[in-house]
């Protein structure tokens, strides 16, 4: 089968597509014939050796996949061959077949595979951030940085379901329209971020900030927080990990809250399962709708990752073997 291989940490362009043996499942593993594999920002960091963990080389990137189950390990009890599932993976999604623990899968029926991938990391991260980490309440103001990206669009839609007033922040007119179409109440740019947040909240500031950007945008949001606000740290798409002025937390009485979805899924599997059930219910009910910008061949993995790391993507991008 074909698989995208990272043979050494380094430039994304060094990724290759190779013929490898089909996986043989053990224990509670299932093999999925991949219809779509989600491409995520951390995948690019992994390939470059810049992520919190460094897998053994060589490896195949890809932390989410969806498709049909084609083989079962001897201890599998809740999945059968022919089932269509979505799955969270440690690695291995960028391939024609991927291996997952059955406990990390969920049934998707006839749902679109690419949209299922979006529900995993992008919507899963946003949902966990807003529900468990921020405890977002109806009537609060939510500011979403990176509002046209996959996680940003998810945060806009989930924030509206939870009853918040949503201010989306996007870098271009095109991206701002995408955020507006997703349901944002207000859409602004980055140039006067602190002033615009204060203006749109009548001087109160943001109750919750969803920050996937970092850098100067983080600094501006620190100065535009409401009392008892929660500033969610999700990623650093700007490429700059900011330094936190702790005196602002003291005088403004707001909290800085870290969000690491992968750690959450491992530490609280039952809560994660409940979250996915709620997301699938919203999806089937039409309350959330992932934006799939494109479906690409395995051979295009490096270019797709480049677009994501350079903040050129909107919505979700997937590989479709």
């Amino acid at each position: 089968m074909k698989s995208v291989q990272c043979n050494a940490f380094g430039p994304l362009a060094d990724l290759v597509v190779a013929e490898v043996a089909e996986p043989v499942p053990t224990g509670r593993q299932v093999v999925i014939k991949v219809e779509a594999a989600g491409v995520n920002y951390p995948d690019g960091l992994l390939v470059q050796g810049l992520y919190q963990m460094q897998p053994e080389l060589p490896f195949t990137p890809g932390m989410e996949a969806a498709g049909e189950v084609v083989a079962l390990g001897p201890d599998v009890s809740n999945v059968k061959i022919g089932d269509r599932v979505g799955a969270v993976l440690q690695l291995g999604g960028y391939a024609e077949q991927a291996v997952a623990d059955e406990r990390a899968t969920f049934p998707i029926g006839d749902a679109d595979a690419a949209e299922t991938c979006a529900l995993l990391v992008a919507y899963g991260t946003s949902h966990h951030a807003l529900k468990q980490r921020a405890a977002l309440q109806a009537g609060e103001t939510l500011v979403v940085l990176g509002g046209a990206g996959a996680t940003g669009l998810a945060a806009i839609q989930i924030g509206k379901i939870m009853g918040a007033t949503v201010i989306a922040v996007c870098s271009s007119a095109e991206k701002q329209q995408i955020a507006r179409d997703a349901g944002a109440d207000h859409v602004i740019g980055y140039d006067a971020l602190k002033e615009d947040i204060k203006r749109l909240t009548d001087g109160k500031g943001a109750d919750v900030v969803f920050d996937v950007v970092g850098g100067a945008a983080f600094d501006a949001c620190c100065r535009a927080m409401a009392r008892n606000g929660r500033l969610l740290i999700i990623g650093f798409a700007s490429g700059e990990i900011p330094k936190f002025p702790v005196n602002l937390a003291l005088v403004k009485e707001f909290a800085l809250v870290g969000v690491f979805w992968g750690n959450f899924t491992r530490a609280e599997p039952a809560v994660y399962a409940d979250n996915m059930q709620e997301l699938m219910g919203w999806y089937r009910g039409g309350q959330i709708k992932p934006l799939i910008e494109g479906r690409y061949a395995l051979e295009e993995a490096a270019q797709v990752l480049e677009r994501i790391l350079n903040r050129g993507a909107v919505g979700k991008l997937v590989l479709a073997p």
Side-chain angles (χ1 to χ4, degrees), residues 183-208:
D185 297 287
H186 308 283
V187 182
I188 59 178
Y190 288 92
D191 291 342
L193 187 52
K194 182 188 78 170
E195 293 78 11
D196 284 342
I197 292 172
K198 287 284 193 176
R199 172 176 56 82
L200 291 170
T201 59
D202 294 326
K204 175 188 174 185
D207 296 302
V208 175

Side-chain angles (χ1 to χ4, degrees), residues 23-214:
V24 177
T26 61
R28 298 185 69 176
Q29 292 179 336
V30 302
V31 176
I32 301 166
K33 182 180 179 182
V34 177
E35 298 172 22
V39 182
N40 294 285
Y41 190 91
D43 298 341
L45 299 181
L46 266 175
V47 169
Q48 297 173 90
L50 301 175
Y51 199 55
Q52 292 96 322
M53 54 154 306
Q54 291 191 351
E56 289 187 23
L57 296 164
F59 70 91
T60 296
M63 61 181 67
E64 59 191 6
E68 181 183 343
V69 174
V70 294
L72 305 174
D75 301 326
V76 172
S77 58
N78 296 316
V79 179
K80 63 182 185 297
I81 290 176
D83 285 352
R84 292 183 75 245
V85 299
V88 177
L89 315 170
Q90 293 299 316
L91 294 166
Y94 294 11
E96 292 181 326
Q97 294 186 11
V99 175
D101 188 294
E102 70 165 331
R103 290 162 290 191
T105 69
F106 62 96
I108 64 172
D110 60 356
D112 180 85
E115 293 182 352
T116 296
C117 285
L119 293 180
L120 287 164
V121 174
Y123 279 77
T125 296
S126 299
H127 187 221
H128 168 56
L130 298 180
K131 185 173 184 177
Q132 278 88 31
R133 301 301 287 154
L136 180 66
Q137 302 297 306
E140 290 191 314
T141 298
L142 166 66
V143 174
V144 179
L145 305 185
T151 53
L153 290 170
I156 291 169
Q157 294 178 6
I158 293 169
K160 292 305 299 178
I161 290 172
M162 296 176 73
T165 297
V166 178
I167 302 171
V169 188
C170 304
S171 60
S172 69
E174 176 193 7
K175 291 181 177 181
Q176 288 173 8
Q177 186 57 51
I178 289 169
R180 195 172 288 111
D181 292 342
D185 297 287
H186 308 283
V187 182
I188 59 178
Y190 288 92
D191 291 342
L193 187 52
K194 182 188 78 170
E195 293 78 11
D196 284 342
I197 292 172
K198 287 284 193 176
R199 172 176 56 82
L200 291 170
T201 59
D202 294 326
K204 175 188 174 185
D207 296 302
V208 175
V209 170
F210 182 94
D211 182 10
V212 297
V213 175

